[in-house]
Structure formats: C-alpha cells, structure tokens
Amino acid sequence: MRRWLRVGLAFLAATQLVVGLWALLLPARFFALEVVGMGMAYNKHLMLDYGAMTLASAVVLGAATINMGQWITRTALVMYLTWAVPHFFVHLTMLDHLAPSTAALLMVALGLAIALPAGLLALTEREPWRLDDSSGRI
C-alpha cells in the first residue's frame, strides 16, 4: 500500500512541477491552451502567479513523496484537494466555448484530479502510522 501511495504522490508532484514550470516559463503558451484561457483576455501576471503557486504545491507533494510521514502526506493531499475541487467546479461553469468532446475530456481529467488524491488520502487511513510519530517517518 505504501508503494501505491508513494507512486501517487510522485505523480501528483511531477504533474504540478511540469504545469508550474510551463506556466511560469512560457505563460503565454500555457494560457493559449483552449482549456486554460477559456476565451478570456491574457493576463501575464496571473499566469506567472499561477505557475509559482503550482510549483509551491509540487514542493509540498514532493516532500510527502520523499518523507512519507503521516502528517506531511495527509497535509499534501488535503492541500491538493483544496485546489482540485474548486478548480473542477470553476471549469464546470465555463464550458460554453468548448466543443462537447473537449469539454467532456476536460471534466473527466479534472474529475480524476480529485479521485486520485481522494483515493490516496483514503489509503492513509489504512496505514499503520503511530499518531505520536514526531519524526514524520514510517
């Protein structure tokens, strides 16, 4: 079970790293994606801030991947879900300009971005961690 938890955390960290670097280093190209720009005017400042924030989440997820302590692992997953759930609903209200197939694919991807960390969080409930583990290691 720990192996699946580590693989899932690593996947989330890597995804956030790639997206964060893309938005930070090539903000106009990232915004040009139909599912990102959503037909709105380009805002470089917003894209750079989004890239930096996404990289910060990659750091937290990466730390959980390496450390695998109960507290950091759960915190990282809740942090990701705190972003992923509202993100899903924001996009759900802004599908008008997308082709139905693109909209469906986007919502499936965003749904999986909730299901994966939620499933990983459920795995942490099954781990035999000690609640008094001050080292953060298992």
Side-chain angles (χ1 to χ4, degrees), residues 4 61 76 100 130:
W4 287 113
L61 289 160
R130 292 186 331 210

Side-chain angles (χ1 to χ4, degrees), residues 29-88:
R29 287 189 180 171
F30 183 75
F31 189 84
L33 292 172
E34 186 179 21
V35 296
V36 175
M38 305 295 285
M40 296 177 277
Y42 174 66
N43 184 323
K44 183 176 181 179
H45 173 233
L46 183 60
M47 284 296 93
L48 294 174
D49 281 354
Y50 173 77
M53 180 276 308
T54 304
L55 283 178
S57 70
V59 169
V60 175
L61 289 160
T65 302
I66 293 165
N67 182 278
M68 292 290 291
Q70 180 183 36
W71 188 88
I72 186 66
T73 299
R74 289 180 178 170
T75 300
L77 291 167
V78 169
M79 176 271 311
Y80 187 88
L81 284 166
T82 302
W83 168 79
V85 172
H87 187 229
F88 177 91

